[in-house]
Amino acid sequence: MTAPAAGPVIAGAPGPGALTLGRWAAETLGVRLLVAVVHPAPAALGSGRVDAEWVADRHRAAERILDEARKALEGADADYRAVASSSAAHGLHDLAEETGASLIVVGSGRDGPRERLYPGSTADRLLAGSVCPVAVAPAELATPPGTLGVIGVAYVDTPDGRAALAEAAKMAGRTGARLRLYTVVAQGDASLPFLIGQDAERAFLETARETYERSLEAAAASVPQCDTDWRIVPGDVVDTLAELDEVDVLFCGSRGYGPARRVLLGGVSARLIRRARRPVIVVPRSG
């Protein structure tokens, strides 16, 4: 394995899904895995001894969680760290900036269906401004990543889409997995205003499909190091992408505006991470 070219993969708020995905991502990218548990820091206006005792108790609880992670990851090349912060998301943000993290992996929220993504408040806050890609994993991965041999990309020809493609190509190139690009187009008159006319609508959809085909062909050609194919799928974009079960992970961009090099969820990615069957990796724009 080549020497690490970037910072670690951080598995935060670890559960079985996050640990499994984090370990696979770290091994795939050739970087170390850093398992982190964030616990409360002393309050600036705390109540003295009571506050200190409570913080110490939370620190011990974090260490117990890390011990459980060590057992689950026996044999993994990993570091473990308890981080004190005002919130889990803030602590993971700071840790990512400190270490130059390649990826942050978090698990789904406790209230979510076991086989679906449903990020809790930590994931929601983390996704609103991370400096590196963020992966959200189901609580339990019925099919471990790396089993299916396909890395998916929700692709549109925008800076966000190209950033997602670049990150997905790195992972596909290292695993030898097929890289598959998906563009979802609306069906029927969902694309056009009411009463536009069926002939005009059909002509519009045919022109749109030709445009998508050209952009997908160009995108596939831009990553010659990967075995790449693409698909244009009719339907609702969130519903269609959420139901994909043929990919190890699905990469998507964050949004078309906002600060560069930060994850800021747009409408599609925000809904997708709550409903997708497979792990989703949200990628910030590169610049």
Side-chain angles (χ1 to χ4, degrees):
M1 182 175 291
T2 58
V9 168
I10 297 174
L19 292 176
T20 299
L21 181 60
R23 181 176 187 172
W24 174 77
E27 292 174 350
T28 296
L29 296 174
V31 300
R32 291 188 67 81
L33 175 63
L34 174 56
V35 180
V37 177
V38 182
H39 64 87
L45 298 176
S47 55
R49 180 178 176 182
V50 173
D51 180 65
E53 290 178 350
W54 181 76
V55 169
D57 177 74
R58 295 299 82 202
H59 177 78
R60 288 191 294 269
E63 291 292 348
R64 288 194 295 271
I65 295 172
L66 289 176
D67 287 340
E68 293 174 0
R70 289 185 182 93
K71 294 176 182 177
L73 293 170
E74 185 177 0
D77 184 17
D79 298 317
Y80 300 85
R81 187 182 301 186
V83 179
S85 184
S86 58
S87 72
H90 193 276
L92 292 174
H93 274 303
D94 288 347
L95 186 59
E97 292 190 338
E98 173 193 335
T99 61
S102 301
L103 177 70
I104 302 174
V105 181
V106 292
S108 60
R110 292 180 179 180
D111 296 332
R114 292 178 63 167
E115 299 300 331
R116 293 272 185 162
L117 297 185
Y118 193 90
S121 60
T122 296
D124 286 336
R125 294 171 184 172
L126 186 63
L127 285 160
S130 175
V131 295
C132 67
V134 176
V136 183
E140 293 184 6
L141 288 169
T143 304
T147 304
L148 300 170
V150 179
I151 304 296
V153 186
Y155 186 77
V156 288
D157 189 19
T158 63
D160 288 63
R162 292 189 289 273
L165 175 60
E167 291 298 321
K170 292 178 186 177
M171 191 161 284
R174 285 181 170 271
T175 62
R178 177 179 292 272
L179 186 63
R180 180 165 294 157
L181 283 59
Y182 297 88
T183 293
V184 182
V185 296
Q187 286 181 302
D189 58 8
S191 302
L192 296 174
F194 184 56
L195 297 178
I196 194 70
Q198 291 186 352
D199 290 342
E201 179 184 349
R202 185 162 46 249
F204 173 84
L205 292 174
E206 290 175 355
T207 300
R209 184 180 181 89
E210 292 173 358
T211 301
Y212 292 139
E213 287 179 350
R214 288 195 296 271
S215 68
L216 286 165
E217 288 172 351
S222 72
V223 285
Q225 72 274 23
C226 299
D227 179 14
T228 308
D229 62 21
W230 52 265
R231 297 180 180 179
I232 297 177
V233 187
D236 175 83
V237 61
V238 175
D239 289 344
T240 301
L241 294 174
E243 289 301 315
L244 288 176
D245 58 6
E246 63 193 39
V247 298
D248 288 303
V249 295
L250 179 67
F251 283 78
C252 69
S254 52
R255 67 191 302 171
Y257 54 92
R261 300 185 188 281
R262 295 261 175 181
V263 169
L264 280 172
L265 288 190
V268 170
S269 50
R271 288 179 289 152
L272 178 60
I273 62 169
R274 290 172 171 80
R275 298 172 52 186
R277 290 183 179 273
R278 299 296 297 160
V280 173
I281 299 178
V282 184
V283 180
R285 284 186 296 138
S286 59

